[in-house]
Amino acid sequence: MANMSLNKVKIPEQDPNIRNKNFLEVALGYTKEMAIEEAQRCLNCKHRPCVSGCPVNVKIPDFIRLVAEGKFEEAYEKIRETNSLPAICGRVCPQENQCEKLCVRGKNGEPVGIGRLERFAADWYMQNIKAKTNNTVKNGRKVAVIGSGPSGLSCAGDLAKLGYDVTIFEAFHVPGGVLMYGIPEFRLPKALVQDEIQTVKDLGVKIETNMVIGKVLSLDEIIELGYEAIFIGSGAGLPSFMGIPGETLNGVYSANEFLTRINLMKAYLFPNCDTPVKVGKNVAVVGGGNVAMDAARSARRLGADNVYIVYRRTEAEMPARKEELHHAKEEGIIFKLLANPTQIFGTDAGWVRGMECIEMELGEPDATGRRKPVVKAGSEFVIDVDTVIIAIGQTPNPLIKNATPGLDTTKWGGIIVKEETGETSKKGVYAGGDAVTGAATVILAMGAGKKAAITIDEYLKNK
Amino acid sequence: MFRIVKKRILNTQVKLMEIEAPFIAKKAEPGQFIILRASENGERIPLTIADFDRDKGTVTIVFQEVGNTTKALGKLNEGDMILDFVGPLGTASHFDNVKKTAIIGGGLGTAISYPQAKKLYGMGVEVHSITGFRNKELIILEEELKAVSNKLIVATDDGSNGVKGFVTDILKNLIEEGNKYDLVIAIGPIPMMKAVCNLTKVLGIKTIVSMNPVMIDGTGMCGGCRLTVGGKVKFACIDGPDFDGHEVDFDEAMRRQNMYKDEEKISQKEHKCNLGV
Ligand SMILES: Cc1cc2nc3c(=O)[nH]c(=O)nc-3n(C[C@H](O)[C@H](O)[C@H](O)COP(=O)(O)OP(=O)(O)OC[C@H]3O[C@@H](n4cnc5c(N)ncnc54)[C@H](O)[C@@H]3O)c2cc1C
Ligand SMILES: Cc1cc2nc3c(=O)[nH]c(=O)nc-3n(C[C@H](O)[C@H](O)[C@H](O)COP(=O)(O)OP(=O)(O)OC[C@H]3O[C@@H](n4cnc5c(N)ncnc54)[C@H](O)[C@@H]3O)c2cc1C
Ligand code: SF4
Ligand code: SF4
Ligand code: FES
């Protein structure tokens, strides 16, 4: 008999007033009992609407039924058939716009907690089951993947399952991409990301860190080394600035720099780790996406008294995951909506002392259908801050493009691919994830990596 | 991991190391740098590629021990491993139509200017090297520079080696003596580069400087290394580190370099090596 409760089984969380001072994970995860209870809310629908909402088509009702039956290992394996990073997706997917959006239980009450169950199955597996030896027959053909973010990992994992000898080249000293340097520990523990990457390595994927492709090797040189195809999953790492006066003052960070210092370089453990980060008493974060929420919540944890989110539209237009918006509010982040920065003021010594903003109002809908913010003349006001973090978006890094003649990109730097296949303008070279779409989501990047793996396999079989 | 194949002590604060890094050695060009990490909880720090040997597959770094990472690095010996070593980063120096150049290295900047002198000398350019140190004990790379310069002047602030004075005065004298340089390269502390640029700007001599802002990734991803050059924001790690010295906002660069002064002090005082976190 299905559990007909209108609400999801609550997920235990750290208290907001405790967690806003630490970097431990906010959501603590379901116990076995909670997971089974929540799994029983699934109606196992024949037409499976939830599955079509998932960019990698996780077999949702099937895995949830296995959870309900207490068959956690089988549940995990069912998810892994289509998703190589379930512990990560279960935590960071914007489920409310994807799988859970289409869940029939959501028509009357809350949808099934698909993400939470996915996370549970993955966590349970990693805690309880030892790595299994992989007995795929190798075909001896080499494929190179550039970048070890979600797109690169999923492409590499799928190709390895098909028998290819896959090497990932990663610029940083650790693999994971945004999962390591962008999304904070309190939302996605780094040890867990590494455990999940280990499961991809267990498939036989090799990861070479400290390799900046375009600098140390060109794409043509990779091919000369015997790789028969290349997948580019280099992400969208180039930070945008606003171009307003004062952006080079001390105390102004791009969100990328701020979060990289904290996550990848563990500045929250300074001085036990060498990399520092400066967080003042009053911090303004400009932007309304996941990146802005993460920067704001990190600043709060590092001791800032007042952390403002400055966003030029209203809460309804904010691209951040609803859950994270809610968490940010609980943790005391102050929202300054319909406001846009116009300049940053500095002290004589060159440190931030304030930021001038102007009020906005919503006008006609723009090309994306969102109402366009327009300036209210003469409405300037100043907020008293000593740190400004700019989180208004990232575009693909031009490094690979600049080093690769014949690789076509859009005006804003996105690699141009054939949508269905991931093929670029250069033969044997495929691309996907944020490098193609601009900043998007983990699961879309993974979907693109999977799709490219299928095309690469076809290409190499016919070569 | 990257093996240290040679270590040389150049003076009390400066060490040279040759590192086995065949992929980097194959691609390295003068003007480029590497980023390394010496320990698990350490910083990523940039160091110039002071030399490279494509056949042996090695890259040479010369570093001054100023803080945790450079001190930890200095303690490593031949045969030891460096945890992470990534490069070649930055844009290689470009030299067109240069016939005669003055290359000025201030202190440690000498090591950064050496590969440029070597390259220009190899191209048949007349190279006058001027290096400045606080005193005789701190002089480095004298023999190396001599081998790639038509003229080498080693000055010390206190005259302890014979030639006394600041590199700017020496450059001025050389020009007054009738030397016509079509390029000046100045590498060293910001005040020195600024002083050289003030002089050469008046004289209309193109001047290249090498900027050393704080960096993390070195690939254009964090924006921490930004500088204002010619009124525009540039990232030193991808657009540089070489820039037209007459366009650089040195005061801003100096200010940004001091951003973590307090933390660097705390870090050195409270640093606990190899603390498991
Ligand atoms: C702070 C933050 C929070 C986010 N929160 C969420 C969230 O909650 N939910 C969600 O779904 N999405 C979120 N996103 C977006 C999501 O993380 C990205 O869309 C996703 O990581 C893109 O994956 P990718 O594989 O395309 O690229 P990335 O994850 O960016 O990985 C690219 C990798 O390529 C490497 N690389 C780049 N250039 C080179 C080169 N030349 N040579 C070698 N390696 C190179 C990079 O170092 C990096 O490791 C967030 C993003 C950020 C920044
Ligand atoms: C492109 C580039 C090339 C460089 N080449 C050389 C070189 O060939 N030899 C050499 O000795 N030094 C070089 N430097 C400077 C070197 O990176 C710093 O001395 C080093 O980072 C100090 O690290 P630390 O942990 O030992 O000291 P810290 O305790 O971190 O700092 C001590 C001092 O170093 C400066 N510093 C700190 N971090 C950085 C950083 N990331 N970048 C620049 N300066 C910093 C601080 O302002 C301070 O004065 C270069 C810097 C750049 C950007
Ligand atoms: S991967 Fe993401 S979208 Fe797909 S089922 Fe899991 S949580 Fe939902
Ligand atoms: S739509 Fe909802 S209830 Fe139906 S199968 Fe999917 S998760 Fe279960
Ligand atoms: S060091 Fe990060 S952008 Fe230059």
Side-chain angles (χ1 to χ4, degrees), chain B residues 127-153:
Chain B
V127 174
H128 291 184
S129 293
I130 307 165
T131 61
F133 299 93
R134 281 207 310 283
N135 61 52
K136 197 170 149 190
E137 278 64 49
L138 297 177
I139 296 174
I140 56 169
L141 300 176
E142 193 173 358
E143 287 309 310
E144 285 80 355
L145 264 178
K146 200 180 271 169
V148 297
S149 308
N150 302 78
K151 183 197 272 292
L152 169 66
I153 299 174

Side-chain angles (χ1 to χ4, degrees), chain A residues 221 247-248 253-254 397, chain B residues 27 219 221-222 226 252 260:
Chain A
E221 285 163 337
E247 272 185 311
T248 51
Y253 283 105
S254 74
N397 189 320
Chain B
K27 282 306 241 333
T219 64
M221 177 275 211
C222 73
R226 61 199 190 277
E252 178 189 277
Y260 297 100

Side-chain angles (χ1 to χ4, degrees), chain A residues 173 181 210 215 221 237-238 247-248 250 252-254 256-257 261 269-270 272-275 278 349 397, chain B residues 27 37 41 43-44 68 84 87-88 90 219-222 224 226 252 255-256 259-260 263 271-272 277:
Chain A
H173 55 269
Y181 77 71
N210 296 315
K215 287 290 182 189
E221 285 163 337
L238 185 74
E247 272 185 311
T248 51
N250 287 6
V252 181
Y253 283 105
S254 74
N256 270 4
E257 180 183 359
R261 283 181 177 272
L269 300 174
F270 180 86
N272 290 331
C273 282
D274 286 345
T275 304
K278 284 261 187 201
N397 189 320
Chain B
K27 282 306 241 333
R37 218 164 57 110
N41 290 326
E43 263 189 293
R44 292 169 63 96
N68 285 341
D84 297 297
T219 64
M221 177 275 211
C222 73
R226 61 199 190 277
E252 178 189 277
R255 212 184 63 209
R256 286 186 64 80
M259 184 150 162
Y260 297 100
E263 286 75 11
H271 181 63
K272 302 175 194 82
V277 188

Side-chain angles (χ1 to χ4, degrees), chain B residues 57-71:
Chain B
T58 60
V59 166
T60 302
I61 50 174
V62 175
F63 59 93
Q64 182 156 13
E65 297 185 8
V66 293
N68 285 341
T69 305
T70 45
K71 283 178 187 159

Side-chain angles (χ1 to χ4, degrees), chain A residues 172 237-239 241 254 256-257 260 397, chain B residues 33 35 46 89 213-226 234-239:
Chain A
F172 266 127
L238 185 74
F241 287 92
S254 74
N256 270 4
E257 180 183 359
T260 300
N397 189 320
Chain B
F33 62 96
I35 283 187
L89 302 170
V214 173
M215 293 186 177
I216 304 182
D217 56 300
T219 64
M221 177 275 211
C222 73
C225 64
R226 61 199 190 277
K234 298 276 176 190
F235 289 2
C237 69
I238 42 173
D239 302 318

